[in-house]
Amino acid sequence: HHNETLIIVHTQAGTADFVADYLDAQEDLAILGTISGENTIFVAPKSIKTIAITAKKIRQLLGMKTTAKEMK
């Protein structure tokens, strides 16, 4: 999920730190960094102009389903 400035990733309980570290390590992913809790990650994109593309790439990296809106 995302709004105009931030991408939110929901994980299974206790795995957000690991997933956030994985996202941070992806050099070709257009993000500034992540902040994680127990099961939620806030992802700061490098540009809000490409936030939808970045959100889609994150979903693909994590093997999450892509929404119909993202497929367009």
Side-chain angles (χ1 to χ4, degrees), residues 13-46:
T15 63
D17 282 341
F18 300 106
V19 175
D21 285 343
Y22 172 74
L23 293 176
D24 285 331
Q26 304 306 305
E27 293 181 13
D28 61 336
L29 190 59
I31 64 172
L32 296 174
T34 60
I35 299 173
S36 61
E38 175 73 16
N39 66 343
T40 304
I41 305 166
F42 292 172
V43 182
K46 284 186 180 177

Side-chain angles (χ1 to χ4, degrees), residues 1 7 9 12-13 15 18 20 25 28-29 31-32 34 38 45 56 58 60 62 64-65 68-69:
H1 305 291
I7 300 167
V9 178
Q12 292 184 351
T15 63
F18 300 106
D28 61 336
L29 190 59
I31 64 172
L32 296 174
T34 60
E38 175 73 16
K56 181 179 178 181
I58 289 171
Q60 290 172 338
L62 300 180
M64 302 168 85
K65 292 182 181 176
K69 184 178 179 181

